[in-house]
Structure formats: C-alpha cells, structure tokens
C-alpha cells in the first residue's frame, strides 16, 4: 500500500501525527537501505547495518498473541546456542546468528504504518545505476587491465566481485545487490506512476548488471505472477513473445551453453563452490548423523570442503544451508513453519508473493537470513499489510 506522504492531511487533529510518522518511518528506511548499499565504501558504516535495522524493528514492534508463535523458535535457538558453546564454539558468533535468525522472524511483528516506497528504497536505485554504469563502462572499453584492477580492488576491499563469465559483458556482484530484487518486485506491484516506471527501469538494468541467474529467474517469475490475468486474456501475444524468446535463445545457444559450462567447470566455479558446500555438509552429517536432525549448534563454523576452506566464513554462497547446518532439520522446519505462519498473519496475498520472490532471489546466494532480509520483511509488512482493523488508514 503506497501513500502520498507529501499531500496535506485532510483529517482532524487526532490524526495529524500520521503523516509525520509516515515521513519519519520512510526516512528511517531510506537511511537503512542507504547503509546496506553503501556501507562498504563508507568507513565505520559496516558496524551500523544490523544495529540500525534492529533499532527500526524495536521502535515499531508490536506485541500480541501472534508474537507468542516465536516462543518455540526462541527456546530451540537458546538450547542450540548453549550446546554449541558447551562443545567449544565461540559465544560471540553464536549470539550473532541467534539475533539475526530470530530478528528475521520478529520483523513480521512490526506495527504496519503507511510508508513511501519511493523514498524508502531510493538508495537501491542508486545502487542499480552505479553497478550498471560500471558494467557498461568495462564492456565498452574492453580493457582487461582496467577490469582486472577494478576486480582486484573490489575483492581486496570486501566489496564483492566484478567479472565476465561469457565475454559478453561484465557482471558486477557487489555488496548491496541483495535489495535489487526487492526494488524490482515492489515497483512491479505499485500503481502506475513515474516513481514506478523509474523503479522498474533502474532495477531492471541493475539486475542485468548483477548478472545473477537466480535474480533472472525471480524477475521472470515475478512478471508472470504479476500479469497472470493478462496471460489468459492476451494468450496470442504471450505465445508470440515466448516464440520470439525461443528463437533468440536458439540463436545464442552456443554463448549460453558456454556460460553455463563455465559455471559448472570445476570446484572453484560458481556452481562448483555450491556443490562443494553441499558435499561438505553431507560429509559432516556422515560423521555425526545425529547433527543432521538437531544441528551442529548456533555458532558452529561451516565445515571445510574439498576446494574451499570455510572456517572463517560467516557468509557462504548457500547461506540457507549454513543456517540449516547449525539448526538441523528440526530447527529448519520450525523456522520455515514459523515464517509461513507469520507471513499469512501479517502480509496480504501480494505481500506473501513478494516475500516468496525475495526469498527465491537469495536462496542460492549469501544474501539471505541477514540484515537485508530483516529490512525487506519490515518493508513488506508496511507496504503490503494484511487487512487489520487496528491499523490506521492513510
């Protein structure tokens, strides 16, 4: 639900605080998304990402009967942490995962208020423009030395990576890209406006510049879901579009096959690393079968694979697998069940679709079960709340 926060209130003095609340909350999310997208380039901001997100969460939290749904998860996580520390894992790492895991669920329990989507996620449009500019510049210049220098600087600065996997254009996969799918999905579901067109344009070029296959799948599914009614009424147009896409796909089949082959080339490739992580968990489960059910404990380090040493990593490509490894099948099922229940209680049908799309975009990436997800969940509750008689109208 998008409201015009700039319009004057046409209500009595009892509601004069509502536009002010909308402005303040929109500005709070503006700062949050700005920190999330720019903190690698701004010294000292990295330490503010999670605390600022939690500050917004606690400042807008509401406690009701649905909040009690988190009690089993809180109990399970606390027991998991105690056991983890008892067997020798670091308490600080365990507490970090405890807070993030529970906060991603607690984020559903914010009190929904009108928020300007355009203002709240405007920094994400800047992220899209920045990475698109870098990708276009490197693609046009075709200077291997410049590209190698920028990639080396991005890696050593912990910004992410810049590379070309197929020789067509450069993929700019840096910190902050996690919110690009959210920008695309939220813009797609907004009423027609200049802000919506701008959001769709910037998010589309941002998704292309990021070059993440999961993002492409999410974007395609989002368009199909958003315009599913048009599919039935304009079947001929959709069939023609699919036929054209098929022809283009066949024409560039060699390029596509080559790009996919590189992704699966070896243990250090994009998909090779992910398979290595799955194999690492499988081997760890063989050594301790009970841990498969109950987990290795919150704060447990991810087991090393054949190709990569993950011990010092707090984020891996399959971050959901990392959390699942710590919580086990029981904990993962409890987490998923709690999330589904709260999503049904707090989000409208469209909001639940957008949450599912966001989770899909991060399921094979490090950008899930983190501060980005906390911000994304709170934003969706504000923008797409389930009908609530206690929620003030705009």
């Amino acid at each position: 639900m998008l409201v015009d926060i700039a319009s004057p209130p046409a209500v009595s003095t009892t509601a004069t605080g509502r536009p002010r609340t909308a402005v303040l909350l929109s500005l709070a999310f503006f700062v949050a998304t700005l920190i999330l997208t720019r903190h690698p380039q701004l010294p000292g901001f990295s330490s503010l990402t999670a605390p600022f997100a939690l500050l917004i969460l606690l400042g807008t939290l509401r406690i009701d009967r649905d909040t009690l749904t988190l009690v089993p998860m809180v109990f399970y996580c606390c027991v998991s942490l105690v056991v983890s520390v008892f067997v020798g894992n670091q308490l600080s790492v365990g507490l970090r995962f405890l807070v993030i895991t529970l906060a991603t669920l607690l984020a559903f329990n914010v009190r929904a208020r009108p928020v300007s989507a355009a203002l709240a996620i405007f920094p994400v449009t800047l992220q899209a423009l920045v990475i698109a500019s870098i990708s276009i510049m490197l693609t046009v210049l075709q200077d291997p030395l410049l590209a190698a220098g920028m990639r080396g600087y991005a890696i050593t600065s912990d910004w992410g990576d810049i590379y070309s996997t197929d020789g067509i254009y450069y993929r700019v996969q840096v910190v902050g890209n996690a919110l690009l799918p959210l920008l695309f999905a939220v813009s797609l579901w907004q009423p027609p406006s200049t802000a919506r067109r701008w959001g769709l344009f910037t998010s589309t070029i941002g998704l292309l510049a990021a070059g993440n296959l999961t993002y492409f799948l999410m974007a395609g599914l989002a368009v199909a879901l958003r315009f599913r009614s048009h599919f039935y009424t304009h079947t001929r147009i959709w069939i023609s579009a699919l036929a054209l896409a098929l022809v283009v796909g066949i024409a560039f089949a060699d390029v596509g096959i080559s790009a996919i082959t590189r992704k699966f080339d070896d243990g250090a490739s994009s998909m090779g690393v992910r398979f290595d992580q799955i194999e690492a968990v499988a081997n760890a489960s063989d050594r301790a079968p009970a841990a498969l059910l109950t987990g290795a404990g919150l704060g447990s380090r991810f087991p090393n694979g054949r190709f990569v040493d993950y011990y010092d990593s707090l984020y891996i490509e399959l971050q959901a697998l990392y959390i699942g490894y710590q919580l086990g099948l029981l904990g993962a099922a409890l987490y998923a069940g709690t999330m589904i229940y709260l999503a049904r209680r707090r989000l409208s049908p469209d909001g639940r679709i957008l949450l599912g799309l966001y989770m899909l975009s991060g399921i094979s990436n490090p950008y899930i079960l983190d501060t980005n997800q906390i911000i994304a969940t709170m934003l969706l509750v504000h923008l797409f709340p389930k009908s609530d008689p206690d929620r003030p109208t705009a």
Side-chain angles (χ1 to χ4, degrees):
M1 182 177 293
L2 184 62
V3 298
D4 184 2
I5 60 174
S7 59
V11 291
S12 64
T13 55
T14 59
T16 54
R18 292 174 188 167
R20 183 182 301 174
T21 301
V23 172
L24 293 176
L25 194 54
S26 300
L27 286 174
F29 278 112
F30 173 90
V31 174
T33 54
L34 178 65
I35 293 175
L36 285 172
T37 53
R38 298 272 67 84
H39 71 80
Q41 295 85 36
L42 300 174
F45 267 42
S46 295
S47 59
L48 296 178
T49 52
F52 192 76
L54 294 175
L55 180 64
I56 298 176
L57 173 58
L58 295 176
T60 57
L61 188 66
R62 73 172 182 180
I63 306 297
D64 57 17
R65 287 178 299 178
D66 287 331
T67 311
L68 297 177
T69 307
L70 276 75
V71 171
M73 193 70 208
V74 171
F75 178 77
Y76 188 95
C77 286
C78 289
V79 172
S80 177
L81 177 61
V82 170
V83 173
S84 178
V85 173
F86 180 77
V87 299
N89 292 312
Q90 292 182 2
L91 175 61
S92 60
V93 177
L95 285 173
R96 178 185 183 280
F97 280 103
L98 174 73
V99 171
I100 292 294
T101 301
L102 295 179
T104 56
L105 296 175
L106 197 61
F108 287 99
N109 281 32
V110 295
R111 188 176 297 278
R113 288 289 186 268
V115 168
S116 168
L119 178 60
I121 54 181
F122 178 74
V124 190
T125 67
L126 299 180
Q127 173 81 2
L129 291 174
V130 167
I131 68 170
S133 299
I134 294 173
S135 177
I136 293 172
M137 179 191 69
L138 293 177
T139 302
V140 171
L141 294 178
Q142 288 296 312
D143 186 340
L145 292 179
L146 176 62
M150 292 189 68
R151 183 187 189 193
Y153 187 76
I155 293 175
T156 55
S157 302
D158 291 325
W159 290 2
D161 203 351
I162 302 172
Y163 59 93
S164 176
T165 57
D166 54 17
I168 299 178
Y169 73 99
Y170 284 86
R171 274 75 170 155
V172 185
Q173 299 186 352
V174 294
V175 174
N177 285 5
L179 294 178
L180 291 174
L182 181 70
L183 173 62
F184 180 83
V186 169
S187 299
L188 197 62
W189 258 263
Q190 293 300 323
S193 66
T194 301
R196 178 180 187 264
R197 290 191 294 271
W198 178 249
L200 284 175
F201 170 73
T202 54
S203 60
T204 299
I205 63 174
L207 292 177
L208 290 172
N212 192 305
L213 179 59
T214 312
Y215 290 1
F216 295 158
L217 294 175
M218 183 283 306
L221 180 59
V223 171
L225 291 172
R226 183 67 177 92
F227 300 107
R228 57 188 180 274
S229 60
H230 292 267
F231 178 81
Y232 296 108
T233 56
H234 302 87
T235 307
R236 187 177 303 175
I237 296 177
W238 281 96
I239 292 177
S240 300
L242 290 174
L244 178 62
L246 181 61
V247 171
V248 173
I250 294 174
F252 291 93
D254 291 341
V255 175
I257 292 173
S258 176
I260 293 174
T261 301
R262 288 189 181 94
K263 283 183 173 291
F264 290 85
D265 227 1
D266 52 42
S269 65
S270 175
M271 294 305 298
V273 169
R274 289 167 171 80
F275 285 128
D276 184 56
Q277 292 166 3
I278 294 173
E279 183 180 358
V281 170
N283 292 336
S285 299
D286 289 340
R287 293 190 295 269
L292 179 64
L293 189 62
T294 60
L298 278 177
S300 298
R301 296 291 187 171
F302 197 81
N304 290 330
R306 284 195 299 164
F307 304 103
V308 183
D309 183 351
Y310 301 106
Y311 183 79
D312 291 328
S313 301
L314 293 178
Y315 285 95
I316 63 171
E317 282 74 7
L318 296 177
Q319 189 67 10
L321 181 66
Y322 195 172
I323 299 297
Y325 169 74
Q326 294 185 18
L327 295 178
L329 293 178
L330 284 177
L334 182 59
Y335 180 89
T338 305
M339 173 178 285
I340 292 172
Y341 175 82
L342 290 174
R344 291 181 62 85
R345 295 288 296 173
R346 302 302 196 196
L347 294 173
S348 68
D350 284 344
R352 295 197 291 270
I353 290 175
L354 266 64
L355 176 67
L357 290 170
Y358 178 80
M359 298 298 290
L360 173 63
S361 71
I363 196 66
S364 65
N365 295 296
Y367 321 122
I368 201 171
L369 296 164
D370 62 355
T371 307
N372 290 286
Q373 184 175 328
I374 297 171
I375 293 295
T377 300
M378 288 192 293
L379 262 175
L380 290 176
V381 172
H382 290 299
L383 296 173
F384 301 91
K386 189 172 182 179
S387 179
D388 186 347
D390 295 330
R391 183 175 186 264
T393 56

